[in-house]
Amino acid sequence: MENRVLTRLAYRINATLDRYLPEQRLFLKSDTATRFIRLRPATQAIALAGGGLLVAWTFIATSILLMDSISAGSDRDQSLRQQALFEERLTTLSNDRDRRAEEAVNAQDRFNLALAEVSDMQARLLASEDRRKELETGIDVIQNTLRRTIKERDEARAAADKARTALASAGGTHTEAGRARDALATLDIMAGALGNTAKERDEMARVAEAARDETAAITRSKEELELRNDAIFARLEEAVTVSMGPLDKMFRAAGMSPDDLLKQVKRGYSGQGGPLMPFVSTKGTTLSPDEQRANAILQGLDRMNLYRLAAVKSPFANPIPSGNYRFTSGFGYRRDPKGAGTRMHAGLDFAGSYGTAIRATADGVVVHAGWSNGYGRMVKIRHDFGLETLYGHMSQIRVSVGQRVSRGDRIGDMGNSGRSTGTHLHYEVHVGGRPVNPMTFIKAASDVF
């Protein structure tokens, strides 16, 4: 019964399709017999439908491949343009940083020269002040001596007048007249001495006045020098402030405490030069305002130097500096294709050509170089300040455990090893053993450098 129903349904289908696809016969002739294959309308319809689906699938697959090729070319051009803009901006910022550093060095030289001039002028001013005080003391002594001499002269003249009056009234003797003449001679000598003393007093007064004029000129020069020093200090303070802001912001954006970072750099500092020494009073007195400002500037320059050392030892770089890549996956949680929940993607994925060079992003020591479950061929580098970087899915590893590498050294090639769906680099940054977003370091470095 069931076979009869199926046969009847097949007959109706073939009868309906026969108007559009009449039955065809394919004859096969051999030496002994002739055979044929019957192509019913339903069979022809199935063959046509299959061919149409095959053509449609071929058309759609070709379109997808063409769209991917066009999109890949557009992304590559955009990446090259971004790389050119990034390199141009990096060159501009590097030149500006060099100019700032040169200005700071020149300003420090001018500041040292100005301090030397101020010290010399202060010594000259103190010497002039001591000389003026000595002259004033000498003038006071001469004036007191002159007053005393004038008083004695007046008393001697009064005594001489009394003696003349007594001689005139009493007629006097030759002895008293001789005494009177001796007194007059003494008075003449004292008058001459008083005249010389008056001339010396006038000369000392002129010298004192000249000393006052020289002191006033030195004071004016000192004030002008202080104004110039203040302008130099202002420019240095501005330069230090402008240079410090982006560096401080860069480390904070990377999730690192600048104060703790600088303490670690100071503890492990072993380079040449060392921190700049502040001014210290050799007399045990309080530092002047200019010296205090100079100390603040030197501390700022020292902080900038420590920041420079910390930036060199931190992964503020791109693991694929050539720019021949595109981002395919970011940092954060994403849905697990094998499960219903989500899982943490602890790094960045850079897709590129097979064998693309992978570079170390900071100085450090290789602590792992080999196969790791999930990561495939993987390299892990330990840096200073509790930082680590991880590079996964490589096709080839070019370093070994214990090897010390520098920023920019080639550590491996991009590949597709481990749990991977295509050629790419999986890059992670760990701070204190905790994964953080590597894009924070890459973007922070691009904004500053």
Side-chain angles (χ1 to χ4, degrees):
M1 183 67 180
E2 184 177 353
N3 292 334
R4 188 182 301 173
V5 172
L6 293 175
T7 303
R8 188 177 298 174
L9 179 60
Y11 176 78
R12 289 182 180 179
I13 292 174
N14 288 324
T16 302
L17 295 176
D18 188 61
R19 291 178 295 178
Y20 307 100
L21 300 171
E23 181 178 313
Q24 301 291 333
R25 294 185 179 183
L26 179 62
F27 289 90
L28 303 175
K29 187 176 181 181
S30 64
D31 294 336
T32 58
T34 300
R35 300 178 181 179
F36 67 90
I37 299 174
R38 179 181 296 176
L39 299 177
R40 296 181 180 277
T43 304
Q44 298 179 40
I46 292 172
L48 289 175
L53 289 175
L54 179 63
V55 171
W57 179 83
T58 303
F59 176 76
I60 293 173
T62 303
S63 300
I64 292 174
L65 291 175
L66 288 174
M67 291 177 65
D68 288 342
S69 177
I70 294 173
S71 176
S74 176
D75 291 341
R76 188 179 297 107
D77 294 339
Q78 184 177 3
S79 176
L80 291 175
R81 287 194 297 271
Q82 290 178 351
Q83 180 186 0
L85 291 174
F86 174 76
E87 291 177 351
E88 182 180 357
R89 183 178 180 187
L90 182 64
T91 301
T92 303
L93 290 174
S94 178
N95 293 334
D96 183 66
R97 181 194 61 188
D98 293 339
R99 286 195 300 270
R100 293 295 182 115
E102 185 178 359
E103 289 180 0
V105 172
N106 293 334
Q108 187 172 1
D109 293 339
R110 292 195 299 271
F111 168 71
N112 293 332
L113 180 60
L115 282 180
E117 292 180 359
V118 168
S119 178
D120 182 61
M121 295 188 72
Q122 286 179 343
R124 290 169 56 192
L125 182 61
L126 292 175
S128 176
E129 184 70 18
D130 294 338
R131 184 180 176 189
R132 184 181 63 82
K133 290 180 179 179
E134 291 176 358
L135 291 174
E136 289 179 350
T137 303
I139 290 172
D140 291 338
V141 172
I142 292 173
Q143 287 178 346
N144 293 332
T145 303
L146 184 60
R147 293 192 189 95
R148 187 173 63 255
T149 304
I150 292 173
K151 183 178 180 182
E152 292 176 352
R153 183 196 62 182
D154 294 338
E155 292 176 352
R157 284 179 178 175
D161 291 338
K162 291 180 180 178
R164 290 190 189 97
T165 303
L167 289 173
S169 60
T173 63
H174 294 289
T175 302
E176 293 177 352
R179 291 176 182 163
R181 285 193 299 270
D182 293 338
L184 291 174
T186 302
L187 289 174
D188 292 336
I189 294 172
M190 293 181 64
L194 289 173
N196 293 332
T197 303
K199 290 180 181 180
E200 292 178 359
R201 181 197 62 185
D202 295 338
E203 182 65 24
M204 295 292 287
R206 285 193 298 270
V207 172
E209 186 64 27
R212 292 191 186 95
D213 294 339
E214 183 180 1
T215 301
I218 293 175
T219 302
R220 287 193 299 270
S221 299
K222 180 182 177 183
E223 292 175 352
E224 294 174 357
L225 186 59
E226 288 176 350
L227 291 176
R228 289 197 299 270
N229 289 343
D230 186 70
I232 293 174
F233 277 134
R235 292 192 62 185
L236 285 173
E237 290 168 349
E238 181 182 1
V240 171
T241 302
V242 171
S243 301
M244 288 285 293
L247 292 172
D248 191 78
K249 183 179 179 182
M250 180 183 74
F251 285 104
R252 292 187 184 279
M256 306 169 69
S257 173
D259 294 333
D260 296 340
L261 186 66
L262 295 183
K263 289 179 181 178
Q264 295 184 41
V265 175
K266 285 183 178 180
R267 286 197 299 267
Y269 185 84
S270 60
Q272 296 180 354
L276 301 174
M277 297 303 294
F279 286 99
V280 178
S281 175
T282 57
K283 298 181 180 180
T285 58
T286 305
L287 296 177
S288 66
D290 287 345
E291 291 174 335
Q292 293 176 1
R293 293 181 69 181
N295 278 342
I297 293 172
L298 291 176
Q299 290 174 0
L301 294 174
D302 186 30
R303 189 179 178 91
M304 287 179 59
N305 184 45
L306 295 176
Y307 267 139
R308 178 184 61 81
L309 295 173
V312 170
K313 296 178 179 294
S314 301
F316 289 105
N318 193 320
I320 308 179
S322 62
N324 297 325
Y325 65 87
R326 56 190 176 90
F327 291 112
T328 56
S329 183
F331 177 87
Y333 287 93
R334 62 184 184 184
R335 183 174 296 280
D336 190 346
K338 295 185 178 181
T342 59
R343 63 185 181 87
M344 179 66 181
H345 187 245
L348 294 178
D349 288 345
F350 300 77
S353 302
Y354 193 88
T356 299
I358 299 172
R359 309 282 180 177
T361 55
D363 300 351
V365 178
V366 178
V367 295
H368 182 90
W371 190 269
S372 177
N373 291 334
Y375 292 105
R377 295 182 182 88
M378 183 264 284
V379 171
K380 181 184 288 187
I381 301 175
R382 180 174 298 158
H383 312 281
D384 291 341
F385 320 125
L387 298 173
E388 288 185 342
T389 51
L390 183 148
Y391 312 79
H393 307 306
M394 293 183 177
S395 63
Q396 183 177 358
I397 296 175
R398 297 180 180 269
V399 293
S400 57
V401 175
Q403 180 179 345
R404 179 169 292 276
V405 297
S406 301
R407 174 180 293 176
D409 288 351
R410 186 170 184 174
I411 60 174
D413 302 338
M414 186 180 295
N416 190 25
S417 59
R419 184 182 179 185
S420 172
T421 58
T423 301
H424 74 288
L425 165 68
H426 178 79
Y427 175 61
E428 295 183 10
V429 177
H430 295 191
V431 177
R434 180 177 56 86
V436 298
N437 191 352
M439 184 59 71
T440 303
F441 284 81
I442 297 174
K443 187 176 184 302
S446 64
D447 291 340
V448 174
F449 300 115

